[in-house]
Amino acid sequence: PQLRLSQAANGVPCRGKVLTVDNMNPRVKKVEYAVRGPVVQRAVQIEKELREGVKKPFTEVIKANIGDAHAMGQKPITFFRQVLAMCSYPELLKDNMFPEDAKQRARRILEACGGHSIGAYSASQGIECIRQDVARYIEKRDGGIASNPDNIYLSTGASDAIVTILKLLVRGEGCDRTGVMISIPQYPLYSAAITDLGAVQVHYYLDEANCWSLDVAELRRALNAARQHCNPRVLCIINPGNPTGQVQSRQCIEDVIRFVKEEHLFLMADEVYQDNVYAEGCKFQSFKKVLFEMGPEYSSTVEMASFHSTSKCYMGECGFRGGYMEVINMDPEVKAQLTKLVSVRLCPPVSGQALMDLVVNPPQPDEPSYTTFMKERTAVLAELAEKARLTEQILNTVPGITCNPVQGAMYSFPRITLPQKAIDKAKEAGHIPDMFYCMKLLEEEGICLVPGSGFGQREGTFHFRMTILPPTEKLKVLLQRLRDFHQRFTQEFS
């Protein structure tokens, strides 16, 4: 190959870079992740400009682009941080400022660690006593349905476990490539991982007119269309939904389970928002619980992995990267391969494992920390429920914005009507119309949202995803500014 020569010392020719954007892994270039995409990158620049004294029509950027509760001012749960502090610095166990139940948890975790330190590697599948606690938590949550600690894998947040399962499933070339069924709108981790692994995205649409519900007829349509060009092997479900905030009904979960059994698919149930349920008449039910209540015809055959995390719910502890998955009916030989695969990564963060343990084994009614813990947990969830109501209410007063009820999770995904002139102007500039809208909103109002196009949407519709996490007063300001902006935007382009 031709050497690119440049002037070099002693007349020795220099080659170009070994790794260039032309010869790098082409799949990586195709990966997109809207939650930290161009709008967010611009928001970071604007924050820097504000610090440097550049005058803007606002004094701060309100970030409602990512489900990062603590970044939005949510306070950590006292008990969790007390135990983690003692795990990190065991000298604190001698201190009288910590309650006895917190000390007891810290001692138990430290005893399970190599050299009694969370700085030691753990078993690749995760610390055994923590996996036992997770299994007990699942049994209690699901009304007594047995859970085997050997089927629990602790992970680096839920994301890591999701990607690991996809790795096991992806194979083939051409028409035999693995197809992965994902909802539209979807959480971009899925599309990014599928692209990265060289699998095929199979889109099924949620029904916006019906509060983002899932219809099995639509699953069947998507599956049959996909079978023409790939081999669909896995169905991914997010419940409660991200970015759409819906909570699935019992009937819907049963229908999905029947569908995966009939069509011989692997089921991935992303249940990281299981405590985030706000709407009257909605209740979280795990796919595993429903599967086992449907009887052995299903519970002994359907292959499934379900995921949970420390990052959402009332904890919001994203930075610890704690999570777990439970695998059900997995072929023992495949399970051995899964264990091998996670061992290559050594182990998930031990501090994250410790936190996961506290989430599944919180203070009990007879323990000293119980009252404070329950008060804090209840307050966080009540405030989120209030903000979910507020978001839906205010957005629906704006002509040109319609917002479904935020039944659960931490997001709303409102539909916006954009004037044709705005759509044309965006396309002239080479922008997707809802990206153009979100960029303009950021520049004029200092509000950072993610365009709906980053999650997928039906052709010809436009949305944005907004988290309900900002403090109530800030959320009110955000919604008011958004209302003013939308009216101004509509006038400008009508």
Side-chain angles (χ1 to χ4, degrees):
Q2 192 87 45
L3 285 183
R4 268 190 286 174
L5 302 185
S6 58
Q7 292 315 111
N10 315 329
V12 179
C14 274
R15 301 170 180 224
K17 296 275 189 205
V18 172
L19 179 62
T20 69
V21 83
D22 295 327
N23 69 19
M24 69 176 284
N25 180 341
R27 288 178 187 164
V28 172
K29 285 196 284 190
K30 289 190 188 139
V31 168
E32 287 176 14
Y33 188 65
V35 177
R36 296 192 175 201
V39 180
V40 185
Q41 287 158 15
R42 177 64 189 130
V44 173
Q45 281 175 340
I46 291 176
E47 284 183 316
K48 193 166 175 249
E49 290 169 17
L50 285 170
R51 283 196 298 275
E52 288 163 359
V54 178
K55 283 280 164 278
K56 302 268 178 196
F58 46 86
T59 53
E60 65 162 343
V61 174
I62 303 179
K63 283 194 183 145
N65 63 296
I66 194 164
D68 188 348
H70 290 205
M72 290 279 103
Q74 184 179 307
K75 292 279 172 282
I77 300 290
T78 307
F79 180 76
F80 293 170
R81 289 300 183 89
Q82 286 175 333
V83 178
L84 290 165
M86 288 183 277
C87 287
S88 302
Y89 188 57
E91 283 295 302
L92 294 173
L93 283 159
K94 299 171 187 165
D95 200 308
N96 290 329
M97 70 178 284
F98 295 113
E100 197 45 51
D101 52 347
K103 287 184 177 179
Q104 194 188 330
R105 295 290 200 294
R107 284 191 201 101
R108 181 167 175 266
I109 291 165
L110 288 169
E111 274 162 24
C113 294
H116 300 318
S117 167
I118 61 167
Y121 287 131
S122 77
S124 301
Q125 203 170 333
I127 294 171
E128 189 171 355
C129 72
I130 299 179
R131 287 189 288 119
Q132 288 165 352
D133 288 350
V134 169
R136 266 195 295 271
Y137 161 83
I138 292 171
E139 281 178 14
K140 192 174 166 196
R141 180 197 71 188
D142 293 345
I145 292 159
S147 174
N148 180 352
D150 196 40
N151 291 335
I152 307 290
Y153 288 76
L154 300 181
S155 60
T156 308
S159 307
D160 186 46
I162 289 165
V163 173
T164 302
I165 291 290
L166 287 172
K167 269 185 191 166
L168 293 176
L169 282 151
V170 172
R171 65 179 295 273
E173 291 301 320
C175 283
D176 193 39
R177 277 202 305 168
T178 294
V180 181
M181 299 185 71
I182 55 173
S183 65
I184 295 294
Q186 54 101 27
Y187 173 51
L189 163 73
Y190 289 91
S191 52
I194 293 163
T195 302
D196 186 18
L197 295 167
V200 180
Q201 293 179 39
V202 176
H203 296 162
Y204 63 89
Y205 289 96
L206 299 175
D207 181 2
E208 183 169 11
N210 206 352
C211 205
W212 297 114
S213 66
L214 172 54
D215 177 13
V216 169
E218 169 57 16
L219 287 180
R220 194 151 270 128
R221 177 207 65 76
L223 182 76
N224 291 335
R227 282 191 171 143
Q228 311 304 310
H229 61 89
C230 70
N231 175 20
R233 303 181 70 198
V234 53
L235 171 64
C236 302
I237 303 271
I238 309 174
N239 178 47
N242 174 9
T244 40
Q246 83 287 11
V247 178
Q248 289 186 346
S249 67
R250 167 84 189 206
Q251 183 61 51
C252 174
I253 295 173
E254 287 184 13
D255 291 346
V256 167
I257 289 170
R258 281 191 200 96
F259 173 78
V260 294
K261 182 181 190 302
E262 275 165 40
E263 300 295 348
H264 204 60
L265 299 171
F266 190 100
L267 177 63
M268 291 174 65
D270 178 339
E271 298 175 330
V272 302
Y273 298 99
Q274 54 190 257
D275 292 325
N276 300 105
V277 176
Y278 318 118
E280 276 311 305
C282 285
K283 180 172 176 265
F284 170 75
Q285 299 194 60
S286 76
F287 268 83
K288 183 188 176 187
K289 177 179 193 279
V290 177
L291 176 69
F292 277 79
E293 287 173 353
M294 286 170 75
E297 181 195 344
Y298 295 95
S299 62
S300 63
T301 58
V302 171
E303 292 157 66
M304 177 178 127
S306 62
F307 308 90
H308 194 19
S309 159
T310 61
S311 302
K312 310 300 175 185
C313 299
Y314 61 94
M315 302 84 71
E317 293 277 14
C318 305
F320 278 96
R321 309 308 300 126
Y324 75 73
M325 66 175 156
E326 181 181 28
V327 296
I328 292 161
N329 293 324
M330 184 177 267
D331 182 303
E333 290 180 56
V334 175
K335 202 155 156 266
Q337 296 293 325
L338 169 61
T339 305
K340 176 185 77 179
L341 193 54
V342 298
S343 67
V344 175
R345 304 279 287 273
L346 294 170
C347 69
V350 176
S351 52
Q353 295 185 47
L355 179 62
M356 191 81 247
D357 188 52
L358 303 171
V359 171
V360 298
N361 182 19
Q364 297 305 304
D366 57 346
E367 294 184 310
S369 301
Y370 181 76
T371 311
T372 307
F373 170 78
M374 284 311 286
K375 199 169 111 193
E376 291 176 347
R377 180 187 188 278
T378 308
V380 170
L381 292 173
E383 194 180 355
L384 283 169
E386 174 55 32
K387 291 193 280 198
R389 268 196 304 276
L390 194 72
T391 302
E392 179 205 345
Q393 249 167 5
I394 295 179
L395 287 175
N396 281 325
T397 64
V398 187
I401 298 185
T402 50
C403 181
N404 270 318
V406 182
Q407 297 174 330
M410 310 180 158
Y411 315 95
S412 64
F413 197 70
R415 183 163 170 177
I416 47 177
T417 307
L418 301 181
Q420 191 56 45
K421 258 191 198 166
I423 295 171
D424 297 342
K425 184 158 166 75
K427 286 181 177 160
E428 270 163 42
H431 290 304
I432 299 170
D434 52 19
M435 169 73 84
F436 173 71
Y437 177 93
C438 287
M439 272 296 188
K440 211 166 154 57
L441 172 68
L442 175 64
E443 296 290 351
E444 293 179 17
E445 297 288 353
I447 291 170
C448 179
L449 306 177
V450 192
S453 47
F455 301 88
Q457 51 199 350
R458 278 194 187 274
E459 192 64 37
T461 68
F462 303 108
H463 301 78
F464 57 76
R465 185 187 82 161
M466 178 190 132
T467 75
I468 61 169
L469 291 171
T472 307
E473 287 317 305
K474 205 174 268 191
L475 184 66
K476 285 178 181 165
V477 171
L478 184 162
L479 292 165
Q480 188 55 56
R481 282 197 199 162
L482 182 56
R483 178 197 283 171
D484 296 345
F485 169 80
H486 189 83
Q487 287 165 337
R488 206 169 59 236
F489 183 91
T490 306
Q491 275 164 350
E492 186 184 337
F493 291 102
S494 58

